[in-house]
Amino acid sequence: MVQAVSAPGVIDLGPGYLEPSLLPVDEVLTLYAEALTEFGPAALTYGANAGAEPLRALLAARNGCTAEETMVTAGTSQALALLCTVLGRPGRSVVVERTSYDLGRRIMTDHGLRLREADGDGEGMRPQALDRALSHSDVAFVYLTPTFHNPTGTVAGESRRRKLLAVAARRGVPIVEDDAYTELSLDGTAPPPSLAVLARRRGVIRLGSFAKTLGPGLRLGWLEAEPDLIKRLTGRGQLVSGGALNHLTSLAVTMLMGDFRYDRRLARLREQLRVRRDALVSALQAVMDDSVTVNRPSGGFFVWLTFDPQRSEASLLAAASRAGVAVAPGSRFGSEAGTHLRLAYSFNSPDRLAAAAARLAAAWRNEETPR
Ligand SMILES: Cc1ncc(COP(=O)(O)O)c(C=O)c1O
């Protein structure tokens, strides 16, 4: 039934999912009934290629753009795959952060694109590194997650964002901004404006998703871009043949976004995630020795651990596994130097997160670290 099933007894900090108790089952149940009542048979036809107008209008109003700059997608993964077919060609390359979302990388390489990794720092990709990467003429686009990055949790400040935009604009290469976590700011302050807003969408394609705010099983998201690109994307055979990929679900979510319920849901979810982040981070800080750096992300789902580079990722993982905790290896996300692990706080209760931290600290303290 589900993509990932944790082994019995294991506290699973691996997946970037919401834990089942955070998924709004009862609310979604009523949304489908509301959508069918409101839209009748139109809810069961092929949807408009760019997505149902009511949802595009609500998304556009929320994101400060127009409906012509917005199309509905079946989530960020599908949007990225579609973009690869329009912006990319096998043999061309994409500039990515050295450490970046593993499955985004996989979608791009599945389409025959090569990855050019550019160095980053505590604010994500460095503009000079981007400039160097863009000196190659084969780059189809740049893929960035400037807000609550997966896996590092970093946020690029506004000045960094403007510099990256300036470099890409000077080189004439579009940026794909993966903004899956932007609504999940956990400290009461909004993140800096998106790249799309700063560039007024010129040369920026922004990908949004309901996977992290409502539930990934909805397979619903959206894409913001200049109208000409939206026309090219919605003119692809897949959409002309079948219409928008997720018509009924998009109408169900229209019912939620059309009134106060979406914002109420987000406020509650931010609080639930904040409690989980605090539980994991404070438990880790209390028990880990100072050979491990624990970041405290201001949003999103992940804590990124940085170890003494002498320590071996394989033996840290093996020790965690023996202690009954699953975590994600840093090497899965690219080729950054050093030893890192990613811990998700979205997928377990605060008590289990604290228990996981205690298990990990004991396991890693006792572990021999042959390389
Ligand atoms: C950065 C990032 N982009 C995209 C996705 C997947 O989004 P979707 O479920 O909308 O395809 C994830 C999920 O882990 C993610 O972390």
Side-chain angles (χ1 to χ4, degrees), residues 16 74-78 101 143 145 150 178 180-181 209 211-212 216 219-220 302:
T76 301
S77 310
Q78 181 265 328
Y101 175 48
Y143 171 78
T145 306
N150 178 7
D178 184 339
Y181 297 93
S209 178
K212 311 299 173 183
R219 299 314 305 138
L220 189 68
F302 307 110

Side-chain angles (χ1 to χ4, degrees), residues 46-109:
Y46 289 117
N49 300 355
E53 176 60 31
L55 183 59
R56 288 172 73 206
L58 288 168
L59 287 167
R62 195 171 180 93
N63 296 307
C65 58
T66 65
E68 290 66 42
E69 293 170 314
T70 309
M71 69 179 277
V72 177
T73 69
T76 301
S77 310
Q78 181 265 328
L80 187 56
L82 181 66
L83 276 170
C84 288
T85 70
V86 169
L87 299 180
R89 252 198 339 271
R92 297 197 74 197
S93 68
V94 181
V95 178
V96 296
E97 291 144 322
R98 195 166 287 291
T99 302
S100 44
Y101 175 48
D102 55 334
L103 299 175
R105 298 163 74 100
R106 163 91 178 273
I107 290 167
M108 295 185 280
T109 55

Side-chain angles (χ1 to χ4, degrees), residues 115-289:
L115 304 181
R116 284 191 185 283
E117 295 182 332
D119 285 330
D121 58 18
E123 286 196 80
M125 192 181 286
R126 289 193 302 109
Q128 298 89 328
L130 175 60
D131 198 39
R132 254 194 317 278
L134 292 184
S135 66
H136 298 272
S137 60
D138 64 359
V139 181
F141 59 90
V142 182
Y143 171 78
L144 295 175
T145 306
T147 307
F148 311 137
H149 185 272
N150 178 7
T152 62
T154 55
V155 179
E158 184 170 337
S159 147
R160 170 63 59 91
R161 290 171 193 240
R162 289 192 186 279
K163 287 181 187 149
L164 291 167
L165 285 170
V167 171
R170 184 158 43 74
R171 296 279 191 179
V173 177
I175 295 181
V176 174
E177 177 179 28
D178 184 339
D179 225 359
Y181 297 93
T182 198
E183 296 277 20
L184 300 176
S185 175
L186 303 182
D187 290 328
T189 48
S194 66
L195 297 175
V197 163
L198 292 173
R200 299 212 179 86
R201 279 162 200 81
R202 295 185 65 167
V204 176
I205 301 124
R206 176 170 180 259
L207 309 182
S209 178
F210 291 102
K212 311 299 173 183
T213 53
L214 294 179
L218 295 169
R219 299 314 305 138
L220 189 68
W222 71 96
L223 178 154
E224 299 160 28
E226 294 177 75
D228 281 355
L229 180 59
I230 298 280
K231 282 202 194 97
R232 283 172 67 202
L233 294 166
T234 56
R236 302 296 284 179
Q238 183 190 45
L239 295 176
V240 178
S241 167
L245 293 179
N246 218 345
H247 182 52
L248 175 57
T249 295
S250 74
L251 294 175
V253 171
T254 300
M255 304 312 295
L256 183 73
M257 281 194 94
D259 62 28
F260 60 91
R261 286 179 293 176
Y262 185 56
D263 283 317
R264 196 176 58 189
R265 154 83 185 162
L266 287 179
R268 200 174 336 117
L269 181 61
R270 286 187 199 109
E271 177 58 20
Q272 288 162 323
L273 287 169
R274 191 181 60 71
V275 170
R276 283 165 175 75
R277 179 213 43 197
D278 290 349
L280 182 60
V281 170
S282 42
L284 288 167
Q285 285 171 341
V287 292
M288 291 293 163
D289 62 40

